[in-house]
């Protein structure tokens, strides 16, 4: 199939705001079972595990070539049931690295895209924002950039 012409989201300074695909976030009902599947069946390399207390989630990352697969388990049973809707796993978001998170957000907002929770969240040394799927083509995108200041507490 021929590749479509590349369309870039351009910020006010005239450069592309998206630098690369970082990871695909998959919410699972059992993170340990998901980890066993990705390691033992798919042969993917485990990268790191992290708790995200602000979102009541546990995560595990696996290398899949130049991108990663993030397994996510909600620790809040109501949130888990709402997100999974009876499934064992669902793709929740696509994470994109950006050079300038505030500039990217401004460029997207100018095109009608809204942020979920309306705020930037710091995790480790990176700042993150998630789009509201209803305003971003039905898909939640996680936008991530190196934090301007030091790591979070």
């Amino acid at each position: 199939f021929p590749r479509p012409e590349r369309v870039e989201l351009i910020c006010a300074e005239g450069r592309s705001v998206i630098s690369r695909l970082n990871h695909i976030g998959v919410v699972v009902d059992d993170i340990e079972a998901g980890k066993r599947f990705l390691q033992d069946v798919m042969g993917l390399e485990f990268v790191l595990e992290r708790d995200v207390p602000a979102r009541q989630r546990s995560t595990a990352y696996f290398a899949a070539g130049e991108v990663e697969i993030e397994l996510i388990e909600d620790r809040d049973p109501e949130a888990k049931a709402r997100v999974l809707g009876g499934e064992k796993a669902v793709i929740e978001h696509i994470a994109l690295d950006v050079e300038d998170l505030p500039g990217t957000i401004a460029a997207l907002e100018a095109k009608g895209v809204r942020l979920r929770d309306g705020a930037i969240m710091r995790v480790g040394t990176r700042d993150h924002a998630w789009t509201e799927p209803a305003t971003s083509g039905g898909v939640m995108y996680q936008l991530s950039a190196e934090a301007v200041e030091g790591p979070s507490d």
Side-chain angles (χ1 to χ4, degrees):
F1 291 98
R3 263 191 147 174
E5 267 187 56
R6 182 176 170 169
V7 177
E8 293 184 351
L9 178 62
I10 305 297
C11 70
E13 291 79 32
R15 57 185 159 68
S16 175
V17 298
I18 298 170
S19 58
R20 76 177 194 99
L21 173 63
N22 183 293
H23 68 268
I24 306 295
V26 181
V27 176
V28 296
D29 69 342
D30 180 347
I31 200 166
E32 293 304 319
K35 287 166 50 179
R36 284 190 302 274
F37 178 79
L38 290 180
Q39 284 181 303
D40 300 343
V41 177
M42 300 297 290
L44 298 181
E45 178 186 351
F46 174 75
V47 176
L48 78 103
E49 201 158 7
R50 175 183 297 155
D51 280 328
V52 186
R55 296 190 70 136
Q56 296 184 27
R57 289 181 151 187
S58 297
T59 63
Y61 290 81
F62 290 83
E66 293 184 21
V67 300
E68 293 177 347
I69 296 174
E70 175 192 24
L71 298 179
I72 306 161
E73 183 175 3
D74 281 302
R75 292 190 302 254
D76 174 21
E78 289 180 16
K80 182 186 280 193
R82 183 179 61 252
V83 172
L84 289 173
E87 300 293 331
K88 287 187 175 272
V90 296
I91 295 174
E92 182 198 52
H93 66 270
I94 299 170
L96 303 169
D97 287 343
V98 300
E99 297 296 322
D100 171 16
L101 188 56
T104 300
I105 291 168
L108 290 170
E109 286 177 338
K111 296 179 182 287
V113 176
R114 291 190 317 270
L115 295 184
R116 176 169 267 191
D117 305 325
I120 294 173
M121 176 187 286
R122 171 88 37 98
V123 179
T125 62
R126 296 187 68 82
D127 287 336
H128 306 272
W130 289 263
T131 65
E132 184 59 52
T135 66
S136 53
V139 176
M140 182 174 9
Y141 293 94
Q142 176 183 346
L143 308 170
S144 177
E146 284 296 323
V148 176
E149 302 159 9
S152 63
D153 297 327

